[in-house]
């Protein structure tokens, strides 16, 4: 079946046809590293990680570029506020972003270029745009002439005459106030690079056009990013790249936001929830489930209650995986193929909610098989569940989650397990002598300590309870 994606430029779902058979090229606008990431930032990385995994499952060779904007107005402002070098702020926050991506199980990109490493490519692009009459220099700045590109605003579907794009600080000499800066002239106390038009620094939009060309060529398959980037960033990228002579992206895919009280989660509003703090309160795999399982085009309204619901839902899946693994005494390998209903959902614009419903249905079938002592059926369902969870990056038996990325130190977990087993043995003795009051009291006390006890054919087992 053909994969279909919602293309923002077409305002409809389109069949995906790659430029090169068997290959997919993706450019994702990554982090602007003026501050540490909140969960809204990481959602974009998660959504496109799932896209990448699904393309790979369907047999495509994926080239995935996720850039880093390590110089812009906000980073410079932070540098002045904190009295630190701009590159120090950028590097620390770049590391924080990568730690967040890794904590939540995102695969590393094929390449992760920094803007400051590609100034020569930006200069070459500006030179050609000036030669072609699409850009001009003024007071050391270089601007794109939006009226020179008749298709400007086709992505966001705005009217040029109604567009208001005021000049930023130092952006003097514009022929039209709607022209945007590709290069900004040097200002005291700011980092600069030499150009034919004098020293200065890159504008935000130019960076991505130059890096996409560098790593993916004149045309590539998918350009991704958050809804807030459609204008002005992606609109300006298109203008620069196509005026330069590139065909640029063939599909535009945008993820929705994480909101709080109806507002987009952002640093400027002071309503962000930092990933570094969230992973202290919630298991990273639960955060991935929470952020990655809604449809990528649906808003997520953040709340503690919805996170607890996600934790409970994932616990049902994880409990089934653990029970069958304990029953077999060995690891059940993922099935070679996911169930057809799961594949159909994922092919249809990455329908993760519908695909997840197939996961939960298969878990219920597996639990029924366990209750009926049908080991073969339970094992078959687990193989299917692992295959589906692998696509979503949520397989608890994957080495990322099971080997060193878990919440608890293995030695400490072994100590806790031994202590809990002693208490469970006391409970089993009480049950054997039909002292139900004592048995129930022990279970309740363990529950108050945050442990969930489940009785099964192989005896009681414990797990961390939900909040």
């Amino acid at each position: 079946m053909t994969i279909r994606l919602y293309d923002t430029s077409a305002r409809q779902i389109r069949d995906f046809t790659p430029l090169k058979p068997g290959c997919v090229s993706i450019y994702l606008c990554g982090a602007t590293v003026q501050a540490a990431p909140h969960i809204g930032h990481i959602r974009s990385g998660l959504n496109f990680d799932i896209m990448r995994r699904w393309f790979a499952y369907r047999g495509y060779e994926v080239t995935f570029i996720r850039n880093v904007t390590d110089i812009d107005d906000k980073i410079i402002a932070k540098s002045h506020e904190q009295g630190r070098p701009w590159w120090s702020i950028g590097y620390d926050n770049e590391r924080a972003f990568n730690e967040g991506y890794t904590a939540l199980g995102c695969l590393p990109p094929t390449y992760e270029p920094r803007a400051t490493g590609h100034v020569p490519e930006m200069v070459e692009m500006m030179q050609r745009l000036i030669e072609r009459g699409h850009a001009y220099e003024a007071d050391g700045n270089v601007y794109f002439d939006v009226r020179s590109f008749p298709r400007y605003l086709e992505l966001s579907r705005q009217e040029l005459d109604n567009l208001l794009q005021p000049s930023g600080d130092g952006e003097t000499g514009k022929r039209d106030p709607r022209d945007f800066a590709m290069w900004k002239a040097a200002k005291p106390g700011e980092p600069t690079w030499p150009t034919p038009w004098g020293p200065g620094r890159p504008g935000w939009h130019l960076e991505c056009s130059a890096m996409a060309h560098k790593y993916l060529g004149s045309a590539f398959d998918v350009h991704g990013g958050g809804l807030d980037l459609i204008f002005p960033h992606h609109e300006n990228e298109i203008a620069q790249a196509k005026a330069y002579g590139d065909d640029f992206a063939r599909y535009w895919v945008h993820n929705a936001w994480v909101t709080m009280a109806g507002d987009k989660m952002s640093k400027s509003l002071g309503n962000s929830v930092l990933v570094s703090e969230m992973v202290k309160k919630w298991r990273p795999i639960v955060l991935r489930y929470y952020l990655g399982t809604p449809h990528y085009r649906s808003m997520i309204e953040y709340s503690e209650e919805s996170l607890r619901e996600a934790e409970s839902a994932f616990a049902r899946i994880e409990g089934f995986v653990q029970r069958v693994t304990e029953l077999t005494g060995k690891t059940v390998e993922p099935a070679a193929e996911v169930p057809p209903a799961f594949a159909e959902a994922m092919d249809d614009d990455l329908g993760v909610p519908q695909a997840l419903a197939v996961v939960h249905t298969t878990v219920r079938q597996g639990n029924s098989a366990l209750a009926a002592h049908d080991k073969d059926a339970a094992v078959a369902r687990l193989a299917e569940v692992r295959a589906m969870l692998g696509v979503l990056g949520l397989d608890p038996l994957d080495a990322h989650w099971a080997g060193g990325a878990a919440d608890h130190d293995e030695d400490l977990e072994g100590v806790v397990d031994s202590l809990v087993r002693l208490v469970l043995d006391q409970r089993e003795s009480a049950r054997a002598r039909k002292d139900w009051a004592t048995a129930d009291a022990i279970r309740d006390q363990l529950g108050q300590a945050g442990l969930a006890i489940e009785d099964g054919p192989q005896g009681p087992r414990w797990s961390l309870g939900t909040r």
Side-chain angles (χ1 to χ4, degrees):
M1 184 179 290
T2 303
I3 294 176
R4 299 178 299 280
L5 295 173
Y6 183 85
D7 181 4
T8 304
S9 60
R11 297 297 193 274
Q12 64 181 2
I13 294 177
R14 297 173 53 205
D15 288 349
F16 176 77
T17 304
L19 276 167
K20 181 179 178 182
C23 298
V24 177
S25 47
I26 303 171
Y27 185 95
L28 174 63
C29 284
T32 299
V33 288
Q34 84 269 20
H38 57 63
I39 59 174
H41 293 126
I42 298 299
R43 183 194 181 183
S44 180
L46 272 175
N47 288 151
F48 286 91
D49 182 65
I50 292 171
M51 173 192 282
R52 174 199 189 161
R53 289 170 183 264
W54 184 243
F55 274 125
Y57 173 83
R58 280 303 197 195
Y60 289 96
E61 180 182 337
V62 182
T63 301
F64 180 59
I65 310 299
R66 185 183 68 211
N67 78 293
V68 175
T69 297
D70 60 341
I71 186 67
D72 85 331
D73 294 344
K74 295 177 181 178
I75 295 172
I76 292 171
K78 291 283 186 181
S79 174
H80 294 325
E81 289 172 13
Q82 299 177 17
R84 295 173 57 199
W86 63 271
W87 46 263
S88 173
I89 292 172
Y91 180 65
D92 284 350
N93 291 316
E94 180 182 342
R95 289 181 62 189
F97 267 88
N98 283 328
E99 287 167 2
Y101 291 131
T102 300
L104 270 64
C106 293
L107 300 172
T110 309
Y111 305 108
E112 192 168 27
R114 296 187 183 102
T116 55
H118 298 79
V119 171
E121 289 85 354
M122 298 180 207
V123 170
E124 192 276 332
M125 182 168 278
M126 287 187 288
Q127 286 175 320
R128 182 181 294 188
L129 288 170
I130 290 174
E131 291 168 1
R132 292 187 169 190
H134 292 293
Y136 59 94
E137 182 271 339
D139 301 332
N141 302 292
V142 179
Y143 300 110
F144 187 90
D145 180 355
V146 297
R147 290 193 178 275
S148 74
F149 185 68
R151 296 174 60 188
Y152 188 59
L153 301 179
E154 281 189 359
L155 181 66
S156 57
R157 301 195 178 183
Q158 301 180 81
E159 295 293 333
L160 183 59
D161 290 339
N162 298 329
L163 184 67
L164 181 64
Q165 189 162 272
S167 294
D169 180 38
E171 292 183 12
T172 60
K174 284 187 179 183
R175 297 174 184 171
D176 186 311
R178 289 159 293 200
D179 294 345
F180 62 86
M182 294 190 294
W183 190 262
K184 300 189 177 187
K187 301 184 192 67
E190 290 190 358
T192 63
W193 288 261
T195 75
W197 314 284
R201 62 179 174 85
W204 176 30
H205 316 300
L206 180 64
E207 301 170 356
C208 286
S209 296
M211 288 187 284
H213 179 88
K214 167 81 172 183
Y215 292 94
L216 296 177
S218 61
F220 56 96
D221 292 306
V222 178
H223 196 310
L227 283 173
D228 52 321
L229 299 182
I230 294 175
F231 181 84
H233 186 50
H234 288 167
E235 198 73 77
N236 293 351
E237 279 188 62
I238 291 170
Q240 293 164 155
K242 293 198 171 185
Y244 175 80
D246 286 354
D247 290 332
F248 211 50
R250 300 177 69 245
Y251 298 82
W252 286 86
V253 179
H254 292 92
N255 65 277
W257 304 328
V258 179
T259 62
M260 293 181 72
D263 290 324
K264 173 198 167 191
M265 187 173 288
S266 69
K267 304 185 193 81
S268 60
L269 292 176
N271 61 3
S272 59
V273 183
L274 295 180
V275 176
S276 59
E277 295 302 314
M278 292 295 286
V279 296
K280 296 175 184 177
K281 298 168 59 179
W282 303 91
R283 297 171 59 204
I285 196 169
V286 169
L287 284 176
R288 183 178 177 101
Y289 184 98
Y290 171 68
L291 294 171
T293 54
H295 194 275
Y296 74 90
R297 289 194 285 122
S298 299
M299 296 292 181
I300 298 175
E301 176 67 16
Y302 171 79
S303 71
E304 292 277 326
E305 181 182 358
S306 58
L307 257 166
R308 285 192 292 270
E309 290 172 355
E311 184 179 48
S312 296
F314 184 72
R316 291 193 290 272
I317 298 172
E318 192 173 35
F320 167 69
V321 173
Q322 292 171 343
R323 283 189 291 274
V324 180
T325 301
E326 290 174 1
L327 176 64
T328 61
K330 61 181 181 181
T331 301
V332 176
E333 294 300 321
E337 296 183 359
V338 298
F342 181 94
E344 182 178 354
M346 292 297 292
D347 281 337
D348 188 12
D349 194 30
L350 305 176
V352 174
Q354 295 78 13
L356 190 65
V358 180
V359 175
H360 281 286
T361 296
T362 308
V363 167
R364 287 193 294 270
Q365 293 170 346
N367 282 329
S368 296
L370 284 173
H373 306 290
D374 188 344
K375 178 180 177 180
D376 291 342
V379 168
R381 298 295 80 74
L382 175 55
E384 293 172 345
V385 167
R386 287 202 66 195
M388 293 185 283
L389 294 179
V391 167
L392 301 176
L394 288 168
D395 182 0
L397 300 182
D398 183 89
H400 176 80
W401 306 114
D407 280 356
H408 311 288
D409 179 84
E410 291 181 1
D411 293 337
L412 178 58
E413 189 168 356
V415 171
V416 173
D417 182 68
S418 297
L419 293 173
V420 174
R421 289 293 168 191
L422 288 174
V423 178
L424 289 178
D425 287 344
Q426 295 175 9
R427 178 172 175 265
E428 287 301 288
S429 296
R431 284 161 60 90
R433 62 179 183 266
K434 298 184 179 181
D435 184 356
W436 309 117
T438 298
D440 289 345
I442 292 173
R443 182 197 60 206
D444 293 344
Q445 288 173 352
L446 289 172
Q448 291 173 7
L451 302 177
I453 307 302
E454 183 178 358
D455 295 309
Q458 285 74 45
R461 56 187 300 276
W462 69 273
S463 61
L464 289 175
T466 57
R467 297 159 200 263

